[in-house]
Amino acid sequence: MRIWLLALAVAFAAVAAPPPLPALVTAQLPALKPLGEARFKKLVWHVYDASLWIAAESFAPDAPLALDIRYAMDIRGADLAARSVEEMRKLGYRDAEKLARWDEAMRRVFPDIRAGDRLVGVHLPGREARFYNQQGLLGAVADAEFARAFFAIWLDERTSEPGLRRKLLALPE
């Protein structure tokens, strides 16, 4: 019985602790540390695991952060961009020309994702959003409003996934 409980505790610890961020991210923002971890499922399908990394003691939307998403399924980069635009629209971003520019920018940056891939978004408030995978920098969108809107998909109080937000921000249930 003790061995089974120990194995369960080790397995839970492995799931609960996010993997380190890619070296390029930690080199640029060495003070980042994990705040919260969440699993996103759609119906019965495990889509991704995510962790939020911050430099301060608590979340502040005007401070740099990293959102690490580790995918459990294949997703086309174009579909990821389209879904992001849809979520931004739900958050109140309505300017069609701006959304089209943002969609185009994400399509240039986001690769096709395979199960096991990761995408790390870095928010540099007032400047841009940068996107990395394990190999390095995929690209950046030098638009402060885009960066705010993109990370709001997960972190805004109006998110379509409030349970995921609560876990990423390590808020009480």
Side-chain angles (χ1 to χ4, degrees):
M1 180 68 157
R2 284 185 183 179
I3 293 174
W4 182 83
L5 288 174
L6 179 60
L8 184 61
V10 169
F12 177 74
V15 171
L21 291 171
L24 257 177
V25 175
T26 56
Q28 293 173 6
L29 296 166
L32 292 179
K33 56 188 176 285
L35 176 63
E37 173 86 6
R39 173 163 286 180
F40 179 66
K41 293 174 81 172
K42 197 68 171 173
L43 301 175
V44 297
W45 293 280
H46 173 199
V47 181
Y48 61 76
D49 292 317
S51 55
L52 179 64
W53 296 69
I54 62 171
E57 290 302 313
S58 61
F59 172 72
D62 59 346
L65 62 84
L67 180 67
D68 179 15
I69 301 178
R70 297 167 312 277
Y71 288 89
M73 60 180 8
D74 297 353
I75 301 173
R76 291 181 338 120
D79 293 340
L80 188 59
R83 176 69 181 175
S84 297
V85 167
E86 180 182 326
E87 290 295 323
M88 290 172 184
R89 192 175 283 114
K90 288 178 185 176
L91 289 169
Y93 293 90
R94 301 268 190 254
D95 184 323
E97 288 180 25
K98 189 178 293 183
L99 290 170
R101 277 196 318 274
W102 292 351
D103 181 64
E104 184 180 320
M106 287 185 285
R107 287 173 190 261
R108 281 194 308 269
V109 173
F110 296 161
D112 289 341
I113 302 290
R114 301 285 170 247
D117 286 351
R118 83 195 289 193
L119 184 63
V120 179
V122 173
H123 184 198
L124 299 173
R127 292 178 41 203
E128 65 187 6
R130 295 180 186 165
F131 298 94
Y132 300 82
N133 64 9
Q134 197 59 37
Q135 289 72 42
L137 180 66
L138 295 167
V141 180
D143 179 332
E145 187 180 12
F146 164 81
R148 195 171 42 255
F150 181 80
F151 291 98
I153 293 169
W154 292 269
L155 303 175
D156 190 278
E157 290 178 352
R158 299 166 296 159
T159 181
S160 64
E161 297 296 332
L164 187 78
R165 175 185 181 268
R166 256 191 323 279
K167 288 178 182 175
L168 288 173
L169 293 175
L171 298 173
E173 293 288 324

